Structure formats: C-alpha cells, structure tokens
Amino acid sequence: MAARLSRWTVTLLVVPALVGCSIGDVRRPPPPVATTPPVGVVTPVPGPSPIPFAEVRRTQVAVPERYDRPYVEFVDGQRGYALFAACDGKLAGSDCPALLWATVDGGRSWRKLRHPRPVAENQQLYAAPGLLLLFSEPHGYHLSTDGGATFTSSGTSPPPQWRAAQGRFQYAEETGQVAEWDGRRLRPLAVQPEVPGLNSVASHRDLVVAAGLRDGRPYAAISSDGGRNWRRQAMSVPDGEVGVLRAVVDSSDTAWLIGERPDRTTFPALWRSPGLDWEPVRADGHPERVGSVAAIGLNMLAVNGPDGVGVVTGNRYHRMGWPVTPEHHLTVLADGTLCARGPAGVVLAAALPSERRWVNVVLERR
C-alpha cells in the first residue's frame, strides 16, 4: 500500500515539481519585431505582464544547513507541514534525523513537532483536513489527529482515517467498483454505473462522476443523487491517444474529464459536462506540453508547464501572468486555495479571481 502513496514520498525531494517552491521571473525576452513582416508570417504576441506577490512570508527555522530543502504540504490556505528528511542528498539517518514542522497561519510562523520515528530508511508525509500521516521504514505509519501534538502507530497499512479523508465516494481498487465510505469501510454502491474500464471516481456533495477507458475509448457516467441513479452520457472520440482518463469535480459542481496522454506530458484531451452530455473542450491556442492541470472552479482549468501558466475557459487557452515558474505543480486545496509547489517554497492564492492575492511562502534553514 505504501507504494501506491509514493507520489508524496520525501525521496522525491530533488524533483522540482513535487516539493516546496521558489518563484522565478516568468518574463520572456520580447520577440523580434520586423518593421514590415513578410507575407504569411505572424509576429508573436508578448505574454501578459507578470503579477507581483502581494506578500512574501519568509521564515527561518532552527534546522542545520546540511539538511536539504524540505517537503512542504499544505492542507488549506492556513495549515501546512514541512518535513526535512535528507542531508547532502542522502535520506535521513542517525546523523541526520528527520525534522518536522507545522504552520497554522499560512506560513507566517512555524513550530517544531516531535517526529515519532526520526531515524529511518525512508520518510513520507501525507496531510488531509484534520489528519497528519507519517510513514517511515521499517516502522510503518503514524497518525496524528491533533495537528502533530501526538501520534499513534497504525502498522504497515494506512489507517482507516486516511481512507476516509479521500472523500465520501471513491474507486475501490479491490473490487473495481464505485464505493461509499460508511464510517468504517468502503461499501460498494448497490447500483453501479455502466462504465467499461472504470478506474476513476470524483465527487462533490451528491454529485458523483465515474470514468473509465477501454481500448482507447473514454466512458463516463454521472449521478446527481449520491449514486442511487446513474446517467451514462455520450462522449466524443478524443483527438489523439489517451492513456489515462481522470474524473474531476470542482467546487462549483462542474464535472471534468482529463484524458492524459500516454507520455503524461502532451496537452490532454478535455471534456466538460454542464448538463446531459459531455462537451469536448478545444482549448484553442494551448501549449504542446503540460506539467499539471487543476480545476479551479467557474468553468476554468489552470494549466502549467514548460511554456508557462495559463487558464482554459470558453474553449480557449489564455496565458496568465501568475507568479509561478514552469516547475511549479498546481493543486487546489481543501478550502479552494490555489497552491503551486516548486523548488524552494509554496505559492498560495484564493481560487476566486476577485479575491486572488499571490503569497510566496519560503521556509529557510538557519
């Protein structure tokens, strides 16, 4: 089970897209402008001006310089954790015990926590609303439900509380069905959707989306009453090959299907369901490569990658001047905060454009 959770592993601290982040200059050199452009040649349009940070929250913590940058995980716009688990590029050991820190004010201040197993071959950190879960080999999992004040051991399998934190409706890998968490276990729904190759479930309140892929063709069904009734919707054949189909429901109850390409880097196929059927989303003008895609509400997807950051809305891709670099990995936190993680800090912003203030959170050693 630990292997399935390895996307959060601290051993990936050297991978920029998965760790805390730093903000670089997103401006590019202006394109050359010809006085009289040749016929058939279009002069490139400069991107939007970069948006400055409204606030930089820079904090120094009592961590020796020999420690590598921490793995930082935010649960919402206020609560987050930082795990220092490597020194000089090597995992924590007896001469480099893991160090754990927490913030409850959006990174303005950090307090040190007692790590239950600081010396181990492998350290991992997982966070969800009300939960902090640590993994260390060979000791297994340790769970805290009080912000890291105390921990209890749960052995070599993730505790039930962690499974519950993944949402009311989930894809049960053990049975290949849509299941509901009943407080103790995942219970398969009495009525299952007719979705070939089912492998992805997403939900928000009573809206549930089930998606699958078979022989390269996508399938999906929607329930608006908590899985009691399903409506399988017509879908267009994607343009290009799809390797993984992922269902997403955002906070405004917009359902999306993201068809990731086999190489996981080419711009994905997209569908949106505003009603009875799935509408293909063209995203005209989109870049060729992507690193992360996040549903940010208001019928919008945020996309980041080697060519910069942008938003998909109204069947078009719009470049944005957000203060993130191509290395940042975009996610949406439990309270709707837009989060970008990169090489040396975390960038946070409210999801709603009318309230968005860009904040750079930087944790430094001293």
Side-chain angles (χ1 to χ4, degrees), residues 85-127:
C87 295
D88 302 321
K90 299 179 181 180
L91 295 180
S94 58
D95 60 340
C96 178
L99 303 176
L100 183 63
W101 295 76
T103 180
V104 294
D105 56 10
R108 296 179 180 85
S109 64
W110 294 81
R111 74 182 191 281
K112 189 175 182 179
L113 303 176
R114 183 188 66 83
H115 194 296
R117 292 288 186 175
V119 178
E121 296 180 5
N122 184 19
Q123 299 280 1
Q124 300 177 29
L125 180 152
Y126 315 94

Side-chain angles (χ1 to χ4, degrees), residues 328-341:
H328 281 98
H329 183 84
L330 302 177
T331 58
V332 178
L333 304 181
D335 62 351
T337 298
L338 181 61
C339 175
R341 298 194 306 267

Side-chain angles (χ1 to χ4, degrees), residues 17 66 73 79 102 129 141-142 145 167 194 202 217 246 256 280 303 306 311 335 358:
R66 71 178 188 276
E73 180 78 3
R79 294 169 176 79
Y141 291 92
H142 288 77
T145 58
E194 296 181 4
R217 187 176 181 85
R246 181 161 55 95
W256 297 84
V303 179
V311 166
D335 62 351
W358 294 95

Side-chain angles (χ1 to χ4, degrees), residues 36-97:
T36 304
V39 176
V41 176
V42 178
T43 301
V45 179
S49 300
I51 299 172
F53 289 114
E55 184 180 356
V56 177
R57 300 170 185 170
R58 189 180 304 274
T59 305
Q60 289 189 335
V61 294
V63 173
E65 285 291 334
R66 71 178 188 276
Y67 277 82
D68 295 349
R69 288 170 176 164
Y71 174 76
V72 179
E73 180 78 3
F74 271 81
V75 175
D76 54 36
Q78 298 299 315
R79 294 169 176 79
Y81 301 94
L83 179 64
F84 294 84
C87 295
D88 302 321
K90 299 179 181 180
L91 295 180
S94 58
D95 60 340
C96 178

Side-chain angles (χ1 to χ4, degrees), residues 14 22 32 36 42 64 67-68 83 116 127 148-149 174 191 193 197 208-209 212 215 232 265-266 308 311 317 338 364:
V14 296
S22 65
T36 304
V42 178
Y67 277 82
D68 295 349
L83 179 64
E174 302 84 354
V191 179
V208 190
V209 179
D215 298 328
R232 180 166 153 178
T265 63
T266 303
V311 166
Y317 173 86
L338 181 61
E364 296 180 337

Side-chain angles (χ1 to χ4, degrees), residues 255-274:
W256 297 84
L257 294 178
I258 300 174
E260 298 180 359
R261 307 301 184 178
D263 64 2
R264 296 295 185 94
T265 63
T266 303
F267 197 89
L270 301 172
W271 295 265
R272 180 179 58 234
S273 178

